[in-house]
């Protein structure tokens, strides 16, 4: 619809400027320029070149100006646009009469008026087209920025969800599996050592339920676990002051020795506590009857917590596990700039070692 209106206005411009049949090239150029406007959107540069002769032969330059505007609104290359504007200016200042074309005498001061008018005619659609082109690109950039922000909000929401899942998985494993595995071990010991049939059946039921709970917990932790940056700690959280109670309730013959001050940062204290807790849990699972030695010291700016157990004295109970505890300990230690190592000893025992940098150490 717009192109049809522009063609009609261009033909009206030809009629107003009285392009007569006494010079056949004039109406031919004017009609060619008017009809060429229908392809200005797909082929802006050829359209401009087809409309340029009407500026050379006639004063009906509406079609040429429209073509120049369309070209400027669809490209950001300034040099071709400047060449096209210069070509229009030259054609507008030239009166073509074959074989002797007439050129405007630029030495005459009066010629500055048509020169200024021609330059203004060329630059006006050029600047307007560039303005429309810039506005179109700005709209596209705003859409891209809006999409990028929406994507960023989605990523932030996913990151927060992943951190919460990782924290929940860690707390479930540290707080729940420790207690459930202790129940399973005690129930197993009661089942083996009791002579009462009902007590054995009750112990067997408790152990079965505990094992099923550990297995379900392992699957839940596997679903919830996700890597992420430091999560927000839940409260209340254990500290070094809780180590004695942890060891006393573990049911393991343990030698605990620490020389740490009570003013260590809470994350460091929790890392030590969780390491000892995980080590005692693994001893109950995989080394029944073993004794443990716990040493927690600070030397040369490094905190070292070592948990060592002897070889098991009786067969281990079959309890489910997926090594998420050691993975969580390593992740916690890495967040604090430390390391967690573990491995079997030559005498059949096992050792778990935590090393963390501690500022202000003597």
């Amino acid at each position: 619809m717009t192109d049809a209106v522009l063609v009609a206005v261009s033909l009206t411009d030809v009629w107003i400027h009285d392009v007569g049949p006494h010079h056949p090239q004039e109406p031919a150029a004017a009609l060619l320029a008017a009809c060429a406007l229908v392809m200005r959107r797909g082929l802006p540069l050829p359209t401009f070149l087809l409309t340029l002769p009407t500026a050379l032969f006639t004063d009906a330059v509406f079609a040429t100006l429209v073509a120049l505007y369309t070209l400027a609104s669809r490209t950001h290359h300034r040099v071709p646009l400047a060449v096209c504007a210069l070509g229009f200016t030259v054609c507008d200042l030239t009166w073509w009469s074959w074989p002797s074309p007439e050129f405007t005498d630029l030495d005459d001061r009066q010629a500055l008026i048509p020169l200024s008018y021609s330059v203004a005619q060329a630059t006006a659609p050029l600047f307007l087209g560039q303005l429309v082109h810039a506005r179109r690109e700005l709209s596209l950039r705003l859409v891209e920025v809006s999409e990028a922000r929406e994507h960023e909000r989605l990523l932030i929401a996913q990151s927060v969800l992943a951190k919460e899942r990782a924290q929940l998985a860690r707390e479930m494993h540290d707080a729940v599996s420790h207690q459930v595995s202790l129940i399973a071990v005690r129930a197993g010991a009661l089942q083996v050592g009791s002579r009462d049939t009902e007590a054995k059946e009750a112990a067997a039921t408790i152990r079965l339920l505990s094992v099923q709970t550990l297995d379900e917990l392992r699957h839940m932790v596997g679903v919830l676990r996700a890597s992420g940056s430091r999560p927000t700690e839940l409260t209340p959280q254990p500290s070094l002051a809780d180590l004695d109670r942890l060891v006393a309730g573990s049911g393991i013959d343990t030698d605990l020795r620490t020389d740490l001050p009570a003013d260590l940062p809470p994350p460091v204290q929790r890392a030590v506590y969780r390491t000892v807790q995980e080590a005692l849990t693994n001893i109950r699972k995989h080394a029944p009857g073993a004794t443990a030695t716990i040493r927690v010291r600070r030397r040369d700016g490094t905190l070292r917590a070592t948990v060592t157990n002897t070889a098991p004295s009786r067969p281990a109970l079959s309890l489910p596990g997926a090594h998420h505890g050691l993975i969580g300990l390593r992740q916690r230690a890495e967040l604090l700039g430390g390391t967690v190592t573990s491995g079997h000893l030559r005498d059949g025992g096992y050792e778990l070692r935590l090393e963390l940098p501690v500022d202000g150490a003597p």
Side-chain angles (χ1 to χ4, degrees), residues 172-323:
M172 286 176 63
H173 182 276
D174 291 343
V176 180
S177 66
H178 173 74
Q179 304 296 334
V180 177
S181 62
L182 180 59
I183 294 173
V185 171
R186 293 294 178 87
L190 179 61
Q191 180 184 1
V192 174
S194 178
R195 297 181 180 180
D196 188 351
T197 304
E198 294 184 0
K200 283 188 175 184
E201 292 179 356
T205 302
I206 294 173
R207 178 179 175 276
L208 178 60
L209 293 176
S210 300
V211 171
Q212 291 177 351
T213 302
L214 282 174
D215 191 47
E216 293 177 359
L217 178 63
R218 177 174 62 85
H219 287 292
M220 291 176 64
V221 169
V223 172
L224 292 175
R225 183 169 296 276
S227 60
S229 59
R230 186 194 307 269
T232 303
E233 296 290 351
L234 301 179
T235 56
Q237 291 293 321
S239 63
L240 293 177
D242 300 310
L243 280 180
D244 291 333
R245 184 174 57 189
L246 175 66
V247 171
S250 65
I252 301 173
D253 185 8
T254 304
D255 179 17
L256 172 62
R257 298 182 184 180
T258 64
D259 63 355
L260 297 180
D263 59 348
L264 288 176
V268 174
Q269 296 190 43
R270 286 193 289 270
V272 174
Y273 181 92
R274 295 306 187 191
T275 300
V276 174
Q277 182 185 54
E278 178 64 23
L280 294 177
T281 301
N282 290 336
I283 293 172
R284 286 196 302 270
K285 285 183 179 181
H286 309 297
T291 61
T293 302
I294 303 175
R295 299 288 185 266
V296 185
R297 297 185 177 89
R298 185 173 66 170
R299 294 289 186 275
D300 301 327
T302 301
L303 182 149
R304 293 180 177 87
T306 305
V307 182
T308 307
N309 64 273
T310 60
S313 61
R314 59 178 184 268
L317 296 174
S318 178
L319 295 175
H323 305 289

Side-chain angles (χ1 to χ4, degrees), residues 68 87 146 232 236 251 295 305 332 345:
L68 183 58
S146 178
T232 303
R295 299 288 185 266
R332 188 189 294 269
L345 302 177

